Amino acid sequence: MSSTAKRRFNLSWMKPPAMPEDGSMALVDHLRELRYRVVVSALAVVLGTIVCWFFIDTLLQVVMWPYYEARRNLQEARPDLVMHTTYQGISSPFIMKLQTGGFAGLLLTCPIWLYQLWAFIAPGLLSKERKWALTFLGAAIPLFLAGVVTGYFVTPKGYEVMIGFVPENADALALLDAPTFLVNEIKLLTLFGASFLLPVVLVTLNMLGVVTGEQLGKARSVALFACFVFAAVATPSTDPFSMLAMAMPMGFLYVVAEMICRRRDKRKAVQEAKELDVQLTY
C-alpha cells in the first residue's frame, strides 16, 4: 500500500495542521484548519441527532408547543375559527421528525461547535488570549441558548397574530402544514440564538484588534438601527412582539459589548504604557 493510500485510509489528512507559536498560518493551513473544524462540528451534530432520536416524540411535542399555544388562544378569542395540522406527502412525517432531531442535536452539541469556532479564531490571538476559551464558551453557550428560549416563548404571539388575519365569520378552515411550520420555527429560533451572540462576536473582534470600544461608541446609533432592521427581516411575522423581542436584547447586548471593549482598551493602553516605561528605563 502506497504512502498516499495509507494516509487516506487512516484519515490523517483530517487532522488540523500544527499550530505555530506566533499564530501565523499559510492559507492552505487555514483551509485545512477550517475543514477539520467543520467536520468535527458536523459529526458532533450528527451524533447529537442520533441521541435525540430516542426522545423524538417528546421533542415533537416541545417543538409544536408554540403552535398549540397560539391555537388555544385563538380558539378562546374566536370560537368560529377552525384550525387543523396537515402533513403533505408520504415522507412529511419522517422529514419532520428528522428536522426536529437535527435541531435538538444542534442545541445539544452547541458547546462542541462553539468551541470549534473559537479554536478556529484562536490562532489570530496572542498566547495569553487563547486561554480565554472557557470565558468565550461560558458566555457564548448561555447567550445562544437564552436567544433560543426567548424566541421559543415569543413565537406563539407571532403565530397568533398571523393566523388571526383569517377574516371573521368567513366559514374558513385554517390548515397548517406541520413540516413547513417546523422549518420556519427552526430558522427563527436559530436566528434568535445567533443574534444573542452579538457581544461575543464584538468582543472577539476587539481582541483581534479589528474594532475598538471608541469605534463601537461612534457607531452605536447606526448599530442600534441595524439591530431593528435585522430583527424586522429575520422575523417573518408582521407582529411587533417578535421583532422587539429580538431587536431590544441585541441593542442592549451591543451596549454591553461596547462597555467591555472600552474597558479592555483602557487596560491595554495602561499595559502598553507600563511596558514602554520599562523599555525606556533599560
Side-chain angles (χ1 to χ4, degrees), residues 112-151:
I112 298 177
W113 54 263
L114 282 173
Y115 172 77
Q116 297 302 321
L117 174 63
W118 169 262
F120 181 70
I121 298 173
L125 302 176
L126 300 176
S127 58
K128 61 180 181 181
E129 291 176 332
R130 294 177 197 168
K131 300 177 182 178
W132 290 9
L134 292 179
T135 304
F136 174 87
L137 294 175
I141 294 172
L143 282 174
F144 179 78
L145 295 179
V148 172
V149 172
T150 300

Side-chain angles (χ1 to χ4, degrees), residues 2-25:
S2 63
S3 59
T4 303
K6 289 181 179 179
R7 189 183 178 198
R8 291 178 179 175
F9 181 76
N10 60 23
L11 299 180
S12 61
W13 59 273
M14 289 180 57
K15 295 181 180 180
M19 188 67 61
E21 289 297 329
D22 58 357
S24 60
M25 299 174 65

Side-chain angles (χ1 to χ4, degrees), residues 205-275:
L205 291 176
N206 178 258
M207 293 171 60
L208 291 169
V210 178
V211 296
T212 63
E214 184 179 357
Q215 291 174 338
L216 293 177
K218 292 180 179 179
R220 186 190 306 134
S221 58
V222 177
L224 294 180
F225 176 75
C227 289
F228 280 88
V229 173
F230 173 81
V233 175
T235 54
S237 60
T238 57
D239 69 290
F241 304 101
S242 301
M243 184 189 74
L244 291 176
M246 178 180 292
M248 293 182 68
M250 284 185 67
F252 172 75
L253 293 172
Y254 180 91
V255 175
V256 172
E258 177 192 338
M259 295 172 60
I260 295 174
C261 292
R262 285 182 181 273
R263 188 174 180 180
R264 287 196 71 259
D265 292 341
K266 288 182 180 180
R267 289 182 176 178
K268 184 177 180 181
V270 171
Q271 183 65 29
E272 290 178 350
K274 290 181 178 179
E275 292 178 355

